[in-house]
């Protein structure tokens, strides 16, 4: 019947008819999926954000920590510093997710947030040796289905670039403890610079925040050059800035973007639908990306 055509368009992959899935152009998604499937796994690369994309936004009704939040632990930083970081979060996170302000307006404020937080962290004489324990004690959680996601990509030799404005040392520890830091995984993030006694003295390189992933991507032309034969990209993110993670890809043929819409869902739904091919609304799992990977590889 007439009213089933929309459903038919969507059910190429059963998981795409889950209630959390929204697509502005399901037919276009189907076309991209078919093209990627025909090209096979040897032409695929996956680029993913980390915080609130590979990790959960909430668990049992409680917010889960980002890489930065994981460091807010008594073993690492003073109570005073924790309060100051919390203050920054309360000030700047609402700005991050405010869809009434333009990226241009938000950019300098985001730089301010990251810079202030990193300055505070550097004052705390954080020891590299304490990071593993702090990650273990944290409530960070990879999304359900993460094992299949990482394992499938490793088994099919598909490179995974994790491109994060979080903290590389923390992120690596999270995936190491989850036993999914396979050799096909490359991380681009903000890394800590420790002195010879293992105490944090600075952050390395150019700061990555949520609005300069384009610049970050372009600094990694070497990586993308090596992957030039992988002209199909599956991109996962939770912020609109994450869409720029693929800006450095050479010889791009198809890109399918999946966006997790975790917070301020009603206000942001339309802009996410306009920007991401597949929008996952308050979906805490990797079910849809996994189903897509099974389909195209
Ligand atoms: O991995 P991803 O690029 O998502 O990491 C960035 C996230 O880290 C942002 O979405 C932001 O909410 C969070 N953040 C934080 N504390 C800071 C700076 C950023 O929790 N000081
Ligand atoms: Mg994120």
């Amino acid at each position: 019947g007439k009213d089933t055509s929309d459903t038919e368009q969507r059910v190429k992959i059963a998981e795409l008819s889950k209630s959390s899935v929204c697509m502005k152009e399901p037919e276009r998604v189907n076309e991209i999926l078919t093209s990627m499937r025909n090209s096979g796994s040897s032409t695929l690369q996956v680029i993913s954000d980390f915080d609130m994309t590979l990790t959960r936004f909430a668990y049992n009704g409680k917010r889960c920590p980002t890489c930065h939040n994981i460091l807010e632990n008594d073993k690492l930083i003073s109570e005073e510093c924790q309060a100051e970081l919390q203050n920054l979060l309360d000030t700047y996170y609402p700005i991050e997710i405010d869809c009434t302000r333009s990226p241009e307006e938000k950019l300098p404020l985001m730089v301010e947030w990251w810079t202030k937080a990193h300055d505070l962290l550097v004052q705390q004489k954080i020891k590299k040796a304490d990071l593993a324990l702090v990650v273990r004690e944290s409530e960070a959680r990879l999304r359900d289905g993460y094992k299949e996601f990482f394992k499938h990509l490793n088994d099919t030799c598909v490179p995974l670039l994790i491109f994060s404005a979080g903290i590389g040392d923390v992120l690596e520890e999270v995936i190491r403890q989850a036993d999914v830091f396979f050799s096909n995984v490359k991380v681009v993030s903000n890394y800590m610079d420790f002195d010879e006694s293992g105490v944090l003295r600075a952050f390395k390189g150019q700061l990555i925040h949520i609005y300069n992933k384009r610049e970050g991507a372009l600094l990694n032309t070497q990586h993308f050059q090596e992957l030039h034969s992988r002209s199909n990209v599956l991109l996962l993110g939770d912020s609109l800035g994450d869409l720029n993670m693929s800006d450095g890809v050479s010889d791009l043929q198809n890109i399918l973007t999946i966006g997790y819409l975790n917070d301020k869902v009603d206000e942001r739904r339309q802009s996410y639908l306009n920007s991401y091919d597949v929008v996952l609304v308050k979906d805490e799992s990797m079910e849809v990306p996994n189903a897509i990977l099974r389909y195209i590889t």
Side-chain angles (χ1 to χ4, degrees), residues 49-53 238 242:
D49 170 55
F50 187 71
D51 290 306
M52 310 298 118
T53 296
D238 77 293
D242 292 332

Side-chain angles (χ1 to χ4, degrees), residues 40-60:
S41 57
S42 67
T43 65
L44 181 67
Q45 57 175 302
V46 178
I47 305 176
S48 181
D49 170 55
F50 187 71
D51 290 306
M52 310 298 118
T53 296
L54 293 179
T55 56
R56 293 182 68 120
F57 177 74
Y59 184 65
N60 286 339

Side-chain angles (χ1 to χ4, degrees), residues 49-53 63 66-69 72 85 88-89 93 96 113-114 117-118 163-166 171 209-210 213 238-239 242:
D49 170 55
F50 187 71
D51 290 306
M52 310 298 118
T53 296
R63 283 291 302 274
T66 62
C67 290
H68 285 90
N69 303 153
E72 292 177 30
L85 287 169
L88 292 178
L89 184 72
Y93 177 69
E96 177 185 355
W113 182 14
W114 262 258
H118 288 189
F163 196 153
S164 170
L171 179 173
H209 55 80
I210 50 161
K213 288 197 172 180
D238 77 293
S239 147
D242 292 332

Side-chain angles (χ1 to χ4, degrees), residues 81-97:
C81 180
Q82 291 180 49
E84 286 182 73
L85 287 169
Q86 187 58 46
N87 238 330
L88 292 178
L89 184 72
D90 296 341
T91 308
Y92 292 102
Y93 177 69
I95 300 173
E96 177 185 355
I97 59 166

Side-chain angles (χ1 to χ4, degrees), residues 83-294:
E84 286 182 73
L85 287 169
Q86 187 58 46
N87 238 330
L88 292 178
L89 184 72
D90 296 341
T91 308
Y92 292 102
Y93 177 69
I95 300 173
E96 177 185 355
I97 59 166
D98 184 351
C99 55
T100 69
R101 301 191 203 215
S102 70
E104 291 72 33
E105 193 187 332
K106 292 200 258 184
L107 187 141
L109 298 167
M110 294 297 104
V111 173
E112 221 172 81
W113 182 14
W114 262 258
T115 308
K116 285 180 179 170
H118 288 189
D119 287 348
L120 282 170
L121 290 170
V122 168
Q123 288 165 19
Q124 295 293 306
K125 310 261 178 270
I126 291 173
K127 292 196 203 77
K128 184 180 171 68
D130 289 340
L131 290 181
L133 179 64
V134 160
V135 167
R136 202 161 287 126
E137 285 186 350
S138 79
E139 252 133 60
R141 275 186 90 100
L142 292 161
R143 289 188 190 271
D144 292 353
Y146 75 88
K147 269 222 158 85
E148 177 185 339
F149 177 80
F150 281 92
K151 198 172 175 305
H152 186 88
L153 291 177
N154 191 46
D155 289 348
T156 51
C157 300
V158 171
L160 167 62
L161 173 65
I162 302 179
F163 196 153
S164 170
I167 299 170
D169 309 76
V170 177
L171 179 173
E172 285 194 8
E173 197 52 42
V174 172
I175 57 176
R176 192 175 297 121
Q177 289 183 16
D179 281 330
V180 291
F181 197 1
F182 299 121
S183 59
N184 66 322
V185 177
K186 181 183 159 77
V187 179
V188 171
S189 187
N190 299 305
Y191 277 91
M192 292 173 151
D193 186 10
F194 296 99
D195 66 19
E196 51 291 329
S197 52
V199 174
L200 177 65
R201 63 170 165 207
F203 280 82
K204 291 179 189 167
Q206 199 206 305
L207 175 72
I208 302 173
H209 55 80
I210 50 161
Y211 286 121
N212 71 352
K213 288 197 172 180
R214 177 179 168 75
E215 288 75 7
L218 296 177
L219 285 176
N220 282 283
T221 44
Q222 170 76 29
H223 169 78
F224 291 123
Q225 204 58 51
E226 284 164 22
L227 302 184
H228 76 277
S229 59
R230 295 181 177 271
S231 52
N232 291 328
V233 174
L234 182 68
L235 180 147
L236 281 71
D238 77 293
S239 147
L240 295 181
D242 292 332
L243 287 160
N244 295 112
M245 295 188 297
S246 59
D247 285 359
V249 173
S250 48
D251 303 312
L252 181 70
Q253 197 176 3
N254 295 295
I255 178 162
L256 186 75
T257 59
I258 304 178
Y260 281 94
L261 177 51
N262 302 309
D263 203 2
K264 287 254 181 294
V265 166
D266 295 331
E267 295 91 321
R268 299 198 293 169
R269 186 185 308 260
Q270 198 53 52
S271 63
Y272 273 62
L273 276 171
N274 292 341
S275 312
Y276 278 103
D277 299 315
V278 179
V279 178
L280 302 176
V281 181
K282 286 196 179 292
D283 182 334
E284 291 289 358
S285 82
M286 299 295 294
E287 236 179 276
V288 169
N290 284 344
I292 288 175
L293 285 175
R294 283 196 303 269

